[in-house]
Amino acid sequence: MIHRTVLRTPLPAAHHPNSTRRAWLALATTALVGWGLPGCINLPHAEPMAAHLAGGLRLRPGLPDHRPGGALPVGDKPVLWVPMHGLAHAAVSQLVPVPFLSEAIDAVADRAEARSLAWLEAALDPQAAARAGVQRAGLLAPEGSVSSPVLSTYVVAQDCVDDRVRVALVGQLDGSDAKAPPLARYVVHLPTAWLRSDLSATATRRRAAAGMRAEMDQAASDLVDLLQRARAARLTGNGRRADIGSLHLAGSASGGLVSPTHVVAKSAELIEDEGPVLLFRADGLPDINVLSGGLLFGVHRIARNALHTFKPVGGPG
């Protein structure tokens, strides 16, 4: 049964009047990607991968060339941090009204914030967990294979507009040409949205980090399950589609004009939608800014109660 899910908690308004150039670029990009205006752009489609995975996959350390934009590396592990665009950026914009200069100052502040998140890097090791699961599941290609898809696993952590941090484990499959767009992505969204204050305070950070590690271990298991199902052609759509939105997909305002609730996976292909956890496949541009929809592309595993939008569209097809 399909239900309409509505936003449960009012969100703070998108409140930073950043530079006009950034704001209108964000508005245009989100209109194309999040609102899915027909005829404007052909979004890359996340194809089923059974044929590609028949011979197994290879593992790649580090981050792939094509990854969601606006996300800053944290330390040496493949962990990406998406800063919250809100009041701090508004203050910079008002104090330094020159567009390119205010953006440069924003970037310096964002990089400094990412460097301060050493605890996040210490808490999460996405590749180690996924590597063990892939090996146990027999998904590795024979040694010496050069044509099998390459799997990169990394974390995207977002500082969201409701003062919570949301985390996703991403498994990305690329072909032999590292410069080509990704073949597929599998995104497992951790169910907990951690209070930013709990992650900032030393007294509560250890407990929160332990909870994050436990959920990451489960997410790695879920990711391996998705890869196994993909190889067995068991990630096909169920004939239904819906517009789907969540702060797990885009957690804060883009450009000061676009609320994160406007970033929606339009007409996403539902795979499983009758329980507390949804599986769906979405189209999208895989390397644009996360806040404009850069995380949409691929297959997603997400808790139903984490959605702010679930709107069935069309009929069976």
Side-chain angles (χ1 to χ4, degrees), residues 26-298:
L27 179 62
T29 303
T30 306
L32 291 172
V33 178
W35 296 337
L37 298 181
C40 293
I41 190 169
N42 291 322
L43 297 178
H45 181 64
E47 297 287 349
M49 291 293 295
H52 293 275
L53 290 172
L57 55 82
R58 296 172 288 159
L59 297 176
R60 172 191 289 155
L63 290 164
D65 291 335
H66 288 274
R67 56 182 184 266
L72 307 169
V74 178
D76 296 325
K77 290 181 184 174
V79 176
L80 299 173
W81 175 253
V82 183
M84 201 273 283
H85 282 221
L87 290 175
H89 292 74
V92 169
S93 179
Q94 291 177 359
L95 290 171
V96 188
V98 181
F100 296 107
L101 183 55
S102 67
E103 290 174 5
I105 294 174
D106 282 350
V108 170
D110 288 344
R111 287 195 295 270
E113 182 179 7
R115 286 195 297 270
S116 72
L117 295 166
W119 65 267
L120 182 64
E121 181 193 14
L124 303 175
D125 192 350
Q127 292 190 336
R131 185 187 312 115
V134 165
Q135 290 173 336
R136 286 195 300 269
L139 288 168
L140 286 179
E143 189 172 351
S145 172
V146 295
S147 59
S148 299
V150 178
L151 175 69
S152 302
T153 53
Y154 55 95
V155 164
V156 176
Q158 298 188 66
D159 192 5
C160 298
V161 72
D162 60 351
D163 297 321
R164 291 179 179 270
V165 172
R166 290 170 170 83
V167 179
L169 175 62
V170 181
Q172 179 170 312
L173 288 174
D174 291 286
S176 299
D177 182 1
K179 301 298 183 183
L183 299 172
R185 273 191 194 144
Y186 302 90
V187 187
V188 180
H189 300 274
L190 276 57
T192 298
W194 285 270
L195 280 170
R196 186 69 169 87
S197 57
D198 286 348
L199 300 177
S200 301
T202 303
T204 53
R205 183 187 299 159
R206 184 175 299 176
R207 183 172 63 251
M212 198 177 287
R213 275 194 298 271
E215 291 194 11
M216 183 58 60
D217 288 343
Q218 180 58 52
S221 176
D222 293 334
L223 174 60
V224 171
D225 178 67
L226 289 178
L227 291 168
Q228 288 179 300
R229 291 179 60 176
R231 185 167 70 170
R234 292 191 292 111
L235 282 179
T236 54
N238 63 14
R240 296 189 287 269
R241 291 182 175 270
D243 295 343
I244 297 174
S246 170
L247 290 184
H248 287 262
L249 299 173
S252 72
S254 178
L257 288 180
V258 182
S259 164
T261 58
H262 288 153
V263 179
V264 173
K266 300 293 291 186
S267 193
E269 181 183 29
L270 298 173
I271 299 170
E272 294 178 2
D273 65 313
E274 296 185 349
V277 175
L278 265 67
L279 289 181
F280 67 90
R281 180 179 285 107
D283 298 341
L285 298 170
D287 49 10
I288 63 170
N289 194 295
V290 171
L291 305 184
S292 297
L295 200 56
L296 295 182
F297 173 81

